[in-house]
Amino acid sequence: MTQALEIATLPMEAKGPLEIPTDSEKEKEKDVEKDPAMVMDAEISEKSSVAAGEIQDDAVPSYSEEEYRKLKRKADRYLLPLMWLCYGIQQTDKTSIGTQATFGLSKDTGLHGQQYSWLTTVFYITYMCFEFPSNIILQRYLMGRTLSCYMLCWGVVVLCVGFAQNFTQLVTLRALQGFFECCISPGFILVVGSWYTTREHASRSLVFQSANAGFGVIANLILYGIGSVQYKRGSEFQAWRYMSYFLGSMTILVGCLCLFLLGTPSEVRWLSPEEKKIANARILSNNTGHDKTGIKKWKWKQARECLIDPCFWFAGLNAFLNSVPNGGITAFGSIINTNAGFTNLQVILLDIPKNITSVLWFVCIGIITSRKKNLRLYFMMVSVIPPVAGFAIMASLPNEPQYKWTKWTGFFITVPCVVALFLAWTLIPSNVAGRTKRTLTSSFTFVGYCVGNMVGSQIFKAKDAPRYIPGTAACAVCFGLEFFLLVAWRVILVTRNRRREKQLAEQGISEEERIERGKQLGEQDCTDFENPYFRYTM
């Protein structure tokens, strides 16, 4: 039963191509029984004829490798720096709450008990609630314009945080921030899927995701400069407010830039009509169609398919397990390090080598995965092992001066953990075909991400200060469980690919035929289950 679902074929009731003269009907039926590929050819022909009426430019012209390379280089020049900047700003806007807390945010706004934790929790509650509707909006309307409008709105919210006077105002603004920031990560994953081939998904996604640490170096230096003013002028200069003024203003400026440059191939103004055709033709090898051929109608069949696909559940659970530690460290990392004996300015500076190491690890993975196939899950497994030891060190050592550098080392070796989350996101455009199925998988993954961050911010309780032993120990356990989940995920994908290769070999279908048929079904919004020529990336 499972195998039948995984290698599902199209309905075998194609009428047009399979109608034959009565006098040779029996003879033809015998031929079909001997060669099942004839049935598939007939089905593809029928679906292609139907799609021709729905999709303009159905006959995709062929282009030279040089034309494809030229288009790819142009896309890299425009998109990668812009997405890197946007993603870096978003991460800094989201996580700066931890730095601001060490510069008096809690004291100046009268926070007490778990109120500070709720500033992170409420962010992810609204992030989660509006994740799915935002995903639908992104795929139904102009993606670039929609993302830009969201970015402008959250820039205004971050700016307003600097004017907050109490918990009510802060928690309202953080809720609005989660609402507007919910679409940036899934949106960028969809943009990458509409521009790049499957082999390039990991490296291009890692470029903008490296801003999580890379832009952090720049932001930390600026925040350090703002924070140092407080040391000179005294507590009357509330540095955390000026951090919000700076971050909010910068977000608004970059959002304006995105209005003119960000989008899918059919949206952007910096491609000629011919270049747009080249861009769409280039990604047909992904077997997922392109941004014009995707059928926007909701398909309940694809939604049901998600429920029986173990990889759908793996994606969400992996995001949850990785995000529990992420939520805790985002909200409490700076506090844990100041409790260990560092000043708030030292904590900002100590984040810089951590961020640089993270960028180098991202670059290494990006280069290797762009040259060699099926290594993503291996890198994800390797990246969750050091954090287990890191959180164990933080949980076990006391906050004594002689241990502060050892505890910081434990904090430092948690650096690779985010790779297991970010690379999992790149598997969505690479491994999930069908617009409805991809939308649901993306949404469910980010639901896991949100719930994990909410849990992570709540397991670090005020009563456990200053060491927060239960919270740090729970983070170590999450990474251990994530490792075994990643192993199971890869085993399933390898098994699926082998079964499909075996079936196609029995039918005598060559690799060239497989690729061509896969493209045709991909253009018709078939899922990876419905397309037997689809190959999973690992």
Side-chain angles (χ1 to χ4, degrees):
M1 181 65 180
T2 303
Q3 183 174 344
L5 287 169
E6 291 171 352
I7 316 298
T9 58
L10 297 170
M12 300 209 176
E13 297 175 359
K15 295 178 182 177
L18 291 182
E19 284 182 355
I20 50 177
T22 307
D23 56 354
S24 58
E25 186 173 352
K26 293 181 181 179
E27 202 172 313
K28 289 283 185 180
E29 285 178 353
K30 289 179 181 178
D31 289 339
V32 170
E33 288 176 4
K34 291 178 182 178
D35 187 4
M38 290 176 62
V39 178
M40 188 64 64
D41 284 337
E43 292 158 1
I44 293 172
S45 298
E46 184 187 8
K47 291 204 102 179
S48 295
S49 63
V50 172
E54 300 174 353
I55 303 168
Q56 294 180 343
D57 248 348
D58 185 63
V60 180
S62 59
Y63 298 96
S64 67
E65 286 300 316
E66 180 56 34
E67 287 176 303
Y68 285 144
R69 280 195 294 269
K70 184 178 178 182
L71 187 282
K72 181 176 70 172
R73 288 194 294 268
K74 187 171 184 178
D76 286 345
R77 285 197 305 271
Y78 277 89
L79 291 176
L80 296 185
L82 183 63
M83 290 198 295
W84 188 90
L85 184 59
C86 293
Y87 198 79
I89 289 173
Q90 184 254 358
Q91 287 295 316
T92 305
D93 288 347
K94 179 173 64 178
T95 60
S96 61
I97 192 78
T99 301
Q100 289 173 305
T102 64
F103 281 90
L105 177 144
S106 298
K107 180 182 176 183
D108 295 336
T109 55
L111 302 185
H112 56 84
Q114 287 294 103
Q115 286 185 335
Y116 171 71
S117 294
W118 275 102
L119 295 183
T120 297
T121 302
V122 75
F123 174 93
Y124 287 106
I125 288 176
T126 53
Y127 194 113
M128 178 183 66
C129 291
F130 293 98
E131 172 66 33
F132 182 69
S134 296
N135 247 312
I136 297 293
I137 292 171
L138 284 177
Q139 300 211 46
R140 285 182 177 270
Y141 303 102
L142 292 176
M143 192 180 297
R145 298 288 178 83
T146 304
L147 282 171
S148 302
C149 291
Y150 271 78
M151 191 169 187
L152 288 169
C153 291
W154 98 60
V156 172
V157 171
V158 172
L159 184 66
C160 291
V161 168
F163 298 99
Q165 300 296 325
N166 52 50
F167 171 71
T168 302
Q169 294 174 3
L170 275 175
V171 78
T172 301
L173 289 168
R174 286 289 285 178
L176 287 172
Q177 190 178 345
F179 165 62
F180 289 121
E181 289 191 31
C182 69
C183 68
I184 189 74
S185 294
F188 279 6
I189 292 297
L190 291 170
V191 169
V192 167
S194 70
W195 281 92
Y196 296 102
T197 63
T198 298
R199 178 77 70 87
E200 297 159 355
H201 286 170
S203 60
R204 267 54 182 190
S205 296
L206 287 175
V207 167
F208 76 76
Q209 289 164 347
S210 69
N212 185 47
F215 188 83
V217 174
I218 301 170
N220 281 337
L221 290 173
I222 296 172
L223 296 182
Y224 179 87
I226 296 172
S228 63
V229 176
Q230 183 170 308
Y231 272 71
K232 295 177 182 178
R233 295 177 55 179
S235 57
E236 71 275 4
F237 180 85
Q238 297 176 329
W240 68 270
R241 296 190 186 275
Y242 289 89
M243 292 175 182
S244 283
Y245 301 154
F246 162 71
L247 293 172
S249 300
M250 183 172 56
T251 303
I252 293 170
L253 288 174
V254 175
C256 292
L257 182 64
C258 289
L259 280 172
F260 298 97
L261 298 177
L262 187 63
T264 61
S266 61
E267 298 171 14
V268 296
R269 301 172 183 176
W270 42 269
L271 286 185
S272 68
E274 185 64 20
E275 286 175 325
K276 291 181 179 182
K277 292 179 181 179
I278 297 173
N280 285 327
R282 185 173 175 271
I283 64 162
L284 289 179
S285 62
N286 295 352
N287 298 343
T288 57
H290 51 69
D291 67 323
K292 281 186 177 180
T293 59
I295 298 169
K296 297 183 178 182
K297 186 177 70 172
W298 184 265
K299 294 186 175 181
W300 285 108
K301 181 181 178 183
Q302 292 188 13
R304 289 191 294 270
E305 189 174 299
C306 287
L307 301 178
I308 59 172
D309 187 351
C311 295
F312 171 82
W313 301 103
F314 284 165
L317 187 55
N318 175 73
F320 172 80
L321 292 173
N322 194 279
S323 298
V324 170
N326 180 66
I329 287 298
T330 296
F332 288 89
S334 297
I335 295 173
I336 288 172
N337 283 324
T338 53
N339 289 342
F342 297 100
T343 67
N344 49 12
L345 285 178
Q346 286 175 333
V347 168
I348 293 178
L349 290 179
L350 286 173
D351 260 353
I352 293 176
K354 181 172 174 282
N355 289 335
I356 291 174
T357 303
S358 181
V359 170
L360 293 175
W361 182 232
F362 271 61
V363 170
C364 175
I365 294 173
I367 292 172
I368 295 173
T369 53
S370 65
R371 296 181 180 179
K372 294 185 178 295
K373 296 191 298 183
N374 297 330
L375 294 177
R376 294 186 214 179
L377 278 159
Y378 282 137
F379 277 116
M380 291 161 68
M381 294 174 205
V382 170
S383 295
V384 299
I385 296 174
V388 175
F391 278 105
I393 291 171
M394 286 190 282
S396 59
L397 293 179
N399 288 331
E400 302 292 339
Q402 64 268 32
Y403 294 121
K404 72 175 185 178
W405 283 106
T406 306
K407 293 197 74 168
W408 181 82
T409 301
F411 181 70
F412 176 81
I413 62 176
T414 64
V415 164
C417 68
V418 74
V419 168
L421 177 65
F422 287 167
L423 278 180
W425 289 350
T426 72
L427 291 175
I428 295 173
S430 297
N431 281 349
V432 184
R435 184 174 288 264
T436 300
K437 185 176 182 181
R438 189 160 56 245
T439 298
L440 274 174
T441 304
S442 178
S443 297
F444 183 63
T445 298
F446 285 98
V447 165
Y449 169 75
C450 294
V451 174
N453 276 285
M454 283 188 276
V455 171
S457 65
Q458 290 296 325
I459 61 176
F460 286 78
K461 298 184 178 297
K463 67 178 183 179
D464 298 325
R467 289 177 60 187
Y468 299 102
I469 294 175
T472 49
C475 291
V477 172
C478 284
F479 283 126
L481 294 174
E482 187 180 10
F483 175 82
F484 292 106
L485 180 146
L486 294 172
V487 172
W489 197 347
R490 195 176 197 283
V491 168
I492 284 181
L493 295 181
V494 169
T495 303
R496 288 182 180 180
N497 280 349
R498 286 178 179 172
R499 285 175 178 172
R500 295 187 175 198
E501 286 163 6
K502 181 180 178 182
Q503 284 205 352
L504 294 184
E506 291 173 352
Q507 295 173 13
I509 297 175
S510 67
E511 182 64 12
E512 292 76 14
E513 289 177 301
R514 181 192 73 77
I515 293 172
E516 186 58 37
R517 295 178 184 186
K519 287 180 183 179
Q520 289 178 298
L521 292 179
E523 285 185 87
Q524 294 157 31
D525 199 43
C526 291
T527 68
D528 47 291
F529 274 20
E530 294 170 330
N531 186 349
Y533 309 112
F534 190 93
R535 288 296 172 273
Y536 294 95
T537 299
M538 294 162 280

